[in-house]
Amino acid sequence: MDGFMIAAPETDNEEERLAKLLSYHILDTIPEQQFDDIAELAAHICGSKISLISLVDKHRQWFKAKVGLDAEQTPRDVAFCAHAIHEPELFYIPDATKDQRFFDNPLVTGQPNVLFYAGAPLCTPDGYRVGTLCVIDDHPRELSSEQKESLMRLSRQVSNNLELRLHIREIEESGLLLEAKNEELQQFAYRTSHDLRSPITSSKRLADYLIEDLEASNYGEALRGAQKVKGLMANLEELVGDIVSLVQADVSMNDVEPIDLTELLNDARQRLEFLAVESECEIRVENACLSNVPIERGRISQIVDNLISNGIKYRDVNKADSYVDVKVSNSASTLKIAVEDNGIGIRSEFLEDMFKMFKRDNSEVSGSGLGLAIVKKHVEHMQGSIEYSSSKQGTRFNISLPTDRMGDPV
Ligand code: ADP
C-alpha cells in the first residue's frame, strides 16, 4: 500500500465536544466497576482479546476501562477511536493491514497489533461523540451481526452511565449550594434578630429615663436622651433599609431594560451629595456615552450607592483632598464600573471577609456591615465579577457586568 497512515481530522464541533467530555469529570479517574463490567462483557460477547472504553481527549485517547491492555492512554493521532467518533454507527475495520488509514499505524505494525477493530461511539444526549466502546484483536476477523448489535447496545449503557454521573454531580453541587444558603440564612436570622432588637430595647430604656427627666423638669438630660434615641433610630433605619436591599438582591428582579447610566449616576451623586459635603469629600463621576445600556437599574443603583458611600465613609481625614472617583464605560457587551477613593484603605487581613454579611472593620464609623454583601449579591445575580485592590493610599473596586443577558432568567 502506498503513502502513509492517515490521522483522523478533528470533529466539526471539536470545542463543544471537548467541553462536554470535560463536563463529565471522568478523565484520569480511577477504574470503576460499572465501566469495567461493560468492557468485560464486550470482550466476552465479541470473543476479543482486547476491549476498551476510550475517551477521545484533545491530544490523546484515555481508557476509562480496559481488558487485555496495560496502556493508560495513547496519542490521539494514532488512535482508531479518533476515527470512530466521526461516525454515528459502528466503526468496523476487519483487517487494518488492508486499510489506507491504518496499514502502517504503529499500533498495527507493533504492539498491541491492532489488526481487527470495531468501535461503537459513546453518544451524549446532545449529539456529541466523546469516545468509543471498542473491541480489538491481533488478527483479521469478523463480528456476527448479533455481536455488532450487542456492542452498540453496550456503548449506549456506557453513555447512560456517563450521563448519570453528570446528574449525580449536579445534584451534589446543588446540595452543597443549598447547605451554604441555609447556613447564610441561619446567620442572617441570628444577626438580624439581635441587631434589630438591641436598638429597640435601648431606646425603650432611654424613653423611660426621658420620661423621668421630663417629669423632674430635667430638660438638659432629657435633650441628651432624646438625641441618643434619634441616633439609635437613624442606625436602625439604615439597618432595616440594608436588610431589605439584601433580601431584594436575592430575589429575581428580572427588569433588564435599556437604561441611561449617565442619568443614573447623576441621581446617585445627588442622593449622596449631602454626605459628601458634610464629609468634605468630592464625588467625581466620569462616564462615556452611556444611554441605552441593557441592565437592571435597581441593582446598578445599589452597587454604585454602596461603593460611593463607603468611599466617603472611610475617607482619610488626614488627607487634604478626599475624593471618590466613579468611572463607567460600556463596550463589547461589558459594562465596567470602577469606584476608587483615596481613603484609609482596607487591612489586607480583612479583605477576604469584607463581602460577608455583618463583617465590619471599623468601629468609629457606623454601618450595618451589609453594604459589600449587597454589592456582591447583585454582581453575582448579573453574572459579573468584582476585582479590588486596597492600600493606605486608598481603595479601588472594579466591577464587570455582561450586558448581553437581555431576557436571561436572572
Ligand atoms: P459597612 O460600611 O456598613 O460597615 P460594608 O459591607 O459596606 O459595611 O463594608 C464592610 C467593611 O469594609 C467596612 O466596615 C469597612 O471596614 C470596610 N470597607 C468597605 N469599603 C471600604 C472603603 N472604601 N475603604 C475602607 N474600608 C472599607
Side-chain angles (χ1 to χ4, degrees), residues 92-108:
Y92 191 64
I93 310 289
D95 185 350
T97 60
K98 297 204 171 80
D99 193 300
Q100 179 71 50
R101 292 166 294 183
F102 303 112
F103 73 99
D104 63 346
N105 183 311
L107 300 177
V108 175

Side-chain angles (χ1 to χ4, degrees), residues 177-192 246-247 250 355-358 373 376-377 380:
L177 202 69
L178 201 65
E179 231 171 75
K181 283 260 166 218
N182 259 340
E183 210 168 288
E184 192 184 280
L185 200 64
Q186 265 175 12
Q187 201 193 346
F188 182 70
Y190 172 77
R191 282 300 303 252
T192 45
L246 191 76
V247 173
D250 248 345
F355 290 107
K356 294 186 183 151
M357 289 186 306
F358 302 109
K376 182 166 170 265
K377 267 198 200 296
E380 277 172 0

